[in-house]
Amino acid sequence: MFDNAEYFLNRELSWLKFNGRVLQESGIKTTPIGERLKFIAITSSNLDEFFMIRVAGLRHQLDSHIQKRDVSGLTVAEQLAAISHDTHVLVQVQYRYLKNIIRQLQTQKIEFVTNSQLSQTDQQWCYTYFRNTIYPVITPVAVDASHPFPFLSNRSLNLAIRITRKGQDEKIAAIQVPAVLPRLVTIPVHTEVRQFIFLEQLIATYCSELFYGYEVKEVVPFRITRNADLTIDEEDVKDLLEEVEKSLRQRKRGQPVRLEIGKTASVSLKNFIVDALNLPPADIYEIAGPLDATCFFNFADLPGMETFKFQPSTPQIPADLSDGKDLFEKIRTEDVLLHHPYESFEPVLDFVQQAAADPAVLAIKQTLYRVSGNSPIVKALSQAAENGKQVTVLVELKARFDEENNILWAKQLEEAGCHVIYGLVGLKTHAKMILVVRKENNGIKRYIHMGTGNYNDSTAKSYTDMGLFTANDQFGADASAFFNVLSGYSDPPVWNKITVAPLGLRAKLVELIDYEIEMVQQGKSSHIIAKMNSLLDKDIIKKLYEASGYGVKIDLIVRGICVLRPGLTDISENITVRSIVGRFLEHHRIIYIQNDDDEKVFLSSADWMPRNLNERVELLFPVDQDKHIQRIKRILAIMLADNQKAHIMKSNGTYRRVPKRGKSVNSQVEFCKLAQETRVEPNLIEHRLQPLYRREE
């Protein structure tokens, strides 16, 4: 009944709309200007990954003559054409925003300059910097019959240079802009104006020094994006770690999928590069500005730029842990709920660090998907093993773009004496769990932490997530069985509390939705609120359409991709979809089920995507204590009331900002305030979270 392609949106185009919402944040004039530049950089970084994985995959399908249509009815060729159109529009808007920001920075006496705009003294400084710092690092590469077009690494910034000599044919050379040097070079401090020049502009200005006897006619920057997806046949692999390392080396040499080139390029030089890369016109992006805007990520962090950043937000120690009790004693007494980054990630670090040092702790077991570059968690686990504890760590080697980092951590943990495992064949382990086994006076006690986000102390400062500490014996039994399944040959048991993908999570979601349908049929109140990063699974969407048809009220908060179409007559009239994009990256996965008066809340590591439900080890777990259920319910209510950072989806798949009617509500700002207030007086949460669900009509 709900299989009609018109009921679904295309995944890739939905993602591009999400990246457009991110880009819109760079156009909000009330946002600090350094942070607006960061949104420009995030948009570029997102596009890089999109082309390396998603576009590369579609291009491979096209080359393999795969004719399959997606859920929205588009062929591979139609998807690629639509992606090219929408991305070209997005990039044009991005650089229009960037030009506006650069103009506004000039009013703040911060300038991005070219060599010709500098005084003679500054030009002399630039030349000296080029000779002393840049010149020894760069190497020109000739391109001719005996020197074929050089291999240029993925996402590297390069210069194509057209040179001539009297009586000879025109020649082409290439220079790779060194990533080891700062991309934004600070001109020595002036009394009134702070000036920056791009590294590639300095090289272009003085590169004639590398071509004695020739005249430089033109210099054009360009950048290549390559296929970076890993293909690993795990069934026939003897050593997964070794195979991933080999695949990472191949990633750097993937086929080109996009060319970005400076807009001032001459036709001949542009065509030379395009022909060498064998790319279709749709994959060529002429850029009217500096290529690779990811260079602005750290601009606001430069010394003296503090006024151009958000005011610092200090994560608070949650009220539940403010009584000074020992962490294990507190968890033994009651479950503890954490809401990051508004509440500190430190209790999670303390949990592992205390367990590592505690003589009563016998064993620690943990999953690791993405961790920080200098991870205190890894250090604590290593210390625990050195202290003689039984430490088992599942390190997911296939966490995309964190593979190299995770290989290093896996080796370090093994050297410290930890038992390191790589999960189940053919599945990524995306679940988030820590199990601490402790010997106490009345026997063995298990303490568990489960969460919606990674054990990464760095991203925990900017990603919104929830975590739950519990010493509930049923959770403890589930946790032990969970790690036995991951590390050995144990069949999955009948779980007490948790639900695990890929075996049971899909069925659990269907069961929850079916129960809401039953509630409506019995004339009882019913409501589903689900928050996630992406909604893609066709069967789950069809089940939501079915529930909507019966009259179940469904509010979806989906940050990124959503292929469900809300508001379709007789299909999804009772479904709303909104996306919140703000200072922090919305990352937690939450499900609220009304069940008449029997409210239930679940947290999960999984988005509602085929890969999460079918191809990953994921967790869904209930929040049992009523005070935590009420807290999460009201947190969701504030998100639904957000009229500052929320965008609501129309039935055609486009988004508009929620109208700013009534009281201004920025959910992320509200949660910062709540964390500060409830740090001192826990019962304040009750009256600050009063507004209940608001639906956008």
Side-chain angles (χ1 to χ4, degrees), residues 504-666:
L505 184 47
R506 175 185 296 279
K508 180 66 174 181
L509 294 176
V510 171
E511 175 191 319
L512 291 172
I513 300 169
D514 276 339
Y515 196 75
E516 293 308 290
I517 294 173
E518 185 180 330
M519 290 290 103
V520 170
Q521 289 175 321
Q522 294 176 8
K524 298 178 180 179
S525 57
S526 174
H527 190 187
I528 297 172
I529 307 174
K531 183 180 186 298
M532 65 201 76
N533 299 322
S534 299
L535 174 56
L536 272 171
D537 191 88
K538 183 178 180 180
D539 289 337
I540 297 296
I541 291 171
K542 287 164 63 177
K543 180 58 67 172
L544 291 170
Y545 286 159
E546 180 185 346
S548 173
Y550 278 104
V552 178
K553 180 180 172 185
I554 303 169
D555 288 309
L556 302 173
I557 307 169
V558 186
R559 184 194 79 222
I561 305 166
C562 180
V563 304
L564 175 150
R565 293 181 61 184
L568 295 175
T569 303
D570 299 327
I571 301 295
S572 54
E573 289 176 302
N574 289 304
I575 302 176
T576 67
V577 177
R578 71 194 66 218
S579 169
I580 297 173
V581 178
R583 172 178 181 174
F584 303 119
L585 185 140
E586 294 289 331
H587 194 253
H588 28 28
R589 292 91 167 185
I590 307 169
I591 305 171
Y592 167 83
I593 303 291
Q594 188 169 9
N595 283 356
D596 205 20
D597 293 327
D598 182 21
E599 298 174 313
K600 295 185 183 300
V601 167
F602 300 85
L603 302 177
S604 181
S605 60
D607 290 312
W608 294 2
M609 303 171 67
R611 73 178 189 192
N612 297 85
L613 303 180
N614 303 336
E615 302 162 14
R616 290 187 174 188
V617 178
E618 302 273 14
L619 279 180
L620 177 139
F621 55 94
V623 176
D624 286 339
Q625 294 186 356
D626 186 64
K627 75 169 187 175
H628 297 323
I629 292 173
Q630 295 308 313
R631 181 185 177 196
I632 292 173
K633 171 185 172 182
R634 290 171 177 137
I635 284 172
L636 290 170
I638 286 183
M639 293 181 190
L640 293 176
D642 192 315
N643 58 12
Q644 298 297 308
K645 295 300 179 182
H647 305 247
I648 195 154
M649 187 201 285
K650 300 167 73 173
S651 59
N652 63 2
T654 61
Y655 287 78
R656 62 178 175 84
R657 285 190 179 272
V658 172
K660 297 180 180 180
R661 303 191 192 106
K663 179 186 174 184
S664 173
V665 179
N666 180 326

Side-chain angles (χ1 to χ4, degrees), residues 251-424:
R251 169 184 280 173
K252 298 174 183 177
R253 306 187 67 85
Q255 289 297 310
V257 292
R258 176 181 59 162
L259 170 67
E260 297 166 277
I261 188 168
K263 194 146 189 162
T264 58
S266 69
V267 173
S268 62
L269 192 51
K270 173 187 170 183
N271 289 344
F272 178 84
I273 299 170
V274 170
D275 292 344
L277 296 174
N278 193 29
L279 281 170
D283 294 331
I284 313 301
Y285 291 80
E286 293 188 64
I287 305 297
L291 274 59
D292 187 11
T294 61
C295 64
F296 293 112
F297 260 122
N298 298 320
F299 179 79
D301 295 328
L302 293 173
M305 296 291 183
E306 293 78 13
T307 57
F308 302 112
K309 298 172 64 175
F310 285 125
Q311 288 295 313
S313 173
T314 303
Q316 303 296 310
I317 299 299
D320 283 353
L321 296 177
S322 63
D323 55 13
K325 282 186 179 179
D326 170 78
L327 186 56
F328 290 116
E329 179 186 354
K330 184 66 180 180
I331 299 169
R332 190 165 58 248
T333 304
E334 63 174 350
D335 293 354
V336 175
L337 179 71
L338 302 177
H339 190 195
H340 312 300
Y342 316 106
E343 294 175 335
S344 176
F345 192 69
E346 286 297 319
V348 182
L349 303 181
D350 291 344
F351 183 58
V352 183
Q353 290 165 345
Q354 287 185 32
D358 187 347
V361 169
L362 305 178
I364 306 172
K365 303 181 183 185
Q366 180 167 2
T367 60
L368 290 179
Y369 190 76
R370 299 187 196 276
V371 294
S372 63
N374 188 27
S375 173
I377 291 254
V378 172
K379 290 180 182 176
L381 292 170
S382 300
Q383 187 62 52
E386 291 167 3
N387 289 344
K389 304 183 189 308
Q390 182 73 29
V391 180
T392 302
V393 188
L394 187 144
V395 179
E396 181 48 72
L397 296 183
K398 304 183 296 296
R400 184 173 289 150
F401 300 120
D402 271 322
E403 299 96 343
E404 290 181 80
N405 195 33
N406 286 2
I407 287 171
L408 292 173
W409 288 133
K411 291 178 176 178
Q412 179 178 317
L413 288 164
E414 285 181 333
E415 289 172 4
C418 300
H419 175 46
V420 178
I421 55 178
Y422 304 131
L424 303 173

